[in-house]
């Protein structure tokens, strides 16, 4: 049951602005405008008053919004009832980071023993793509690393852990003689690593956001840059002496070949569970979400 377009109208009504609604939905403004125009043409009446960039509901729009909410509620109750029949169902989970995959590896065996007929479909993707999937309600939940919880509402997000992000260098790097273990200050980067190859995550990731911030604050212009979204590849390249990088604490392994340093001031990111709106959870869904929320406790 595809109710995506009902969500479009509900978001426009909430934001009262086409640009802001398009940003929250991760669709282009032209796509959203075309859909609204087509819908209003089919209905034969406008759903919104247009005034100086602000969209407010007409009487017809108010009726449409009320009906859309009822349809979504009916859909959610239906899906929940279907899933609760003999505890059968399907849960879709997205992950953006290695910590999410490791978590699910630990959690799923116990979950399957409790709910053997529930199928868990796992999608590994980047932060922008998973954000869009949750906002479009094409996936049930995501285990994500984020710098901030926007564009989600607070009732969608459960913060699992605040995780430190560390600077990593080869274990035999000359800097080890200068500083065996104390945190690295911002001003030290350009002086000690200005000629190094820096290994970057792709644009849109939490690690890339933090790395770009450090480069700017430190006035650090690396000698060369290499981009990859594979943390294991990045860590291996550091161990081989190919470059330096920033790695989350949960991925700071292979300490025989890689040295890790805290940064002063400390760098952190949020590990979170995000659920889609209008998700009426079955007993199995509640069990999975509660297990994820309690994982780090």
């Amino acid at each position: 049951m595809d109710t995506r377009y009902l969500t479009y109208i509900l978001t426009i009504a909430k934001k009262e602005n086409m640009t802001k609604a398009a940003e929250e939905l991760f669709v282009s403004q032209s796509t959203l405008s075309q859909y609204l125009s087509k819908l209003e043409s089919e209905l034969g009446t406008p759903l919104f008053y247009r005034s100086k960039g602000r969209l407010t509901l007409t009487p017809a729009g108010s009726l449409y919004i009320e009906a859309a909410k009822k349809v979504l509620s009916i859909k959610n109750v239906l899906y929940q009832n279907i899933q609760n029949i003999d505890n059968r169902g399907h849960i879709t989970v997205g992950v953006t980071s290695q910590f999410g995959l490791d978590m699910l590896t630990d959690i799923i065996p116990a979950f399957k023993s409790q709910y053997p007929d529930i199928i868990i479909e796992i999608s590994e993707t980047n932060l922008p793509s998973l954000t869009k999937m949750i906002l479009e309600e094409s996936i049930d939940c995501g285990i994500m690393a984020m710098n901030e919880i926007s564009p989600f509402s607070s009732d969608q997000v459960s913060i699992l852990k605040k995780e430190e992000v560390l600077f990593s260098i080869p274990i035999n790097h000359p800097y080890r003689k200068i500083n065996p273990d104390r945190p690295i200050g911002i001003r030290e980067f350009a002086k000690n690593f200005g000629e190094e190859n820096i290994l970057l995550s792709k644009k849109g990731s939490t690690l890339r956001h933090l790395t770009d911030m450090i480069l700017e604050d430190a006035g650090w212009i690396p000698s060369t840059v290499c981009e990859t979204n594979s943390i294991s590849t990045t860590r291996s390249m550091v161990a081989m002496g190919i470059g330096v990088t920033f790695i989350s604490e949960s991925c700071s392994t292979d300490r025989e070949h890689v040295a890790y340093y805290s940064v002063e001031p400390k760098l952190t990111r949020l590990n979170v569970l995000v659920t889609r709106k209008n998700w009426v959870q079955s007993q199995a869904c509640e069990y999975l979400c509660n297990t994820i929320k309690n994982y780090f406790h």
Side-chain angles (χ1 to χ4, degrees), residues 156-226:
Q156 288 181 266
V157 180
S158 298
I159 297 176
L160 307 175
K161 180 183 179 182
K162 181 179 285 189
E163 180 181 33
E164 186 175 5
V165 174
L166 306 169
F167 183 62
S168 61
I169 64 175
I171 198 71
N172 59 356
H173 194 284
Y175 181 76
R176 294 276 293 157
K177 295 180 180 179
I178 303 172
N179 176 12
D181 54 15
R182 67 170 174 78
I184 298 179
I186 295 291
R187 294 182 179 180
E188 295 184 64
F189 285 110
K191 176 182 177 181
N192 295 285
F193 305 101
E195 300 301 317
E196 297 284 351
N197 177 33
I198 187 164
L199 311 173
L200 299 176
S201 300
K202 296 287 188 179
K203 285 283 190 182
S205 70
T206 54
L207 289 178
R208 180 57 179 271
H209 172 81
L210 291 172
T211 302
D212 287 346
M213 182 180 69
I214 287 292
L215 292 177
E216 182 178 356
D217 290 349
W220 178 12
I221 303 176
S223 177
T224 53
V225 171
C226 176

Side-chain angles (χ1 to χ4, degrees), residues 94-273:
V95 295
T96 64
S97 300
Q98 186 63 45
F99 89 90
L101 293 173
D102 293 341
M103 178 188 295
L104 291 174
T105 300
D106 290 341
I107 286 174
I108 286 178
F111 176 86
K112 291 298 288 184
S113 66
Q114 188 80 12
Y115 298 97
D117 295 319
I118 299 290
I119 297 172
I120 298 179
E121 180 183 341
I122 302 171
S123 298
E124 185 179 5
T125 186
N126 57 36
L127 180 59
S129 296
L130 183 52
T131 297
K132 181 177 180 181
M133 292 165 72
I134 294 175
L135 291 173
E136 291 182 344
E137 299 189 47
S138 59
I139 197 167
D140 293 322
C141 61
I143 302 171
M144 312 163 73
M146 305 181 71
N147 299 117
E148 55 186 7
I149 66 171
S150 62
F152 304 110
S153 58
S154 59
D155 60 342
Q156 288 181 266
V157 180
S158 298
I159 297 176
L160 307 175
K161 180 183 179 182
K162 181 179 285 189
E163 180 181 33
E164 186 175 5
V165 174
L166 306 169
F167 183 62
S168 61
I169 64 175
I171 198 71
N172 59 356
H173 194 284
Y175 181 76
R176 294 276 293 157
K177 295 180 180 179
I178 303 172
N179 176 12
D181 54 15
R182 67 170 174 78
I184 298 179
I186 295 291
R187 294 182 179 180
E188 295 184 64
F189 285 110
K191 176 182 177 181
N192 295 285
F193 305 101
E195 300 301 317
E196 297 284 351
N197 177 33
I198 187 164
L199 311 173
L200 299 176
S201 300
K202 296 287 188 179
K203 285 283 190 182
S205 70
T206 54
L207 289 178
R208 180 57 179 271
H209 172 81
L210 291 172
T211 302
D212 287 346
M213 182 180 69
I214 287 292
L215 292 177
E216 182 178 356
D217 290 349
W220 178 12
I221 303 176
S223 177
T224 53
V225 171
C226 176
E227 289 190 359
T228 174
N229 259 352
S230 171
I231 294 299
S232 60
T233 299
T234 302
R235 189 174 53 238
S236 296
M237 292 173 73
V238 173
M240 295 168 63
I242 296 174
V244 298
T245 193
F246 292 89
I247 291 181
S248 60
E249 185 180 10
S250 58
C251 296
S252 59
T253 58
D254 193 15
R255 290 179 178 258
E256 292 181 357
H257 303 100
V258 180
Y260 297 94
Y261 290 86
S262 292
V263 178
E264 185 63 44
K266 186 175 291 188
L267 293 179
T268 59
R269 67 178 187 176
L270 299 175
N271 294 341
V272 302
L273 170 68

Side-chain angles (χ1 to χ4, degrees), residues 74-101:
I74 291 170
K75 172 193 171 182
N76 292 331
V77 172
L78 171 63
Y79 278 30
Q80 182 187 37
N81 289 339
I82 290 174
Q83 289 185 5
N84 282 335
I85 296 175
D86 297 326
N87 281 326
R88 296 178 185 273
H90 183 264
I91 305 173
T92 52
V93 183
V95 295
T96 64
S97 300
Q98 186 63 45
F99 89 90
L101 293 173

Side-chain angles (χ1 to χ4, degrees), residues 275-293:
T275 57
R276 63 176 173 84
K277 288 184 178 179
N278 307 307
W279 188 24
V280 180
Q281 297 179 12
S282 64
Q283 291 179 348
C285 296
E286 289 182 356
Y287 179 90
L288 179 63
C289 288
N290 287 335
T291 304
I292 292 171
K293 292 175 184 178

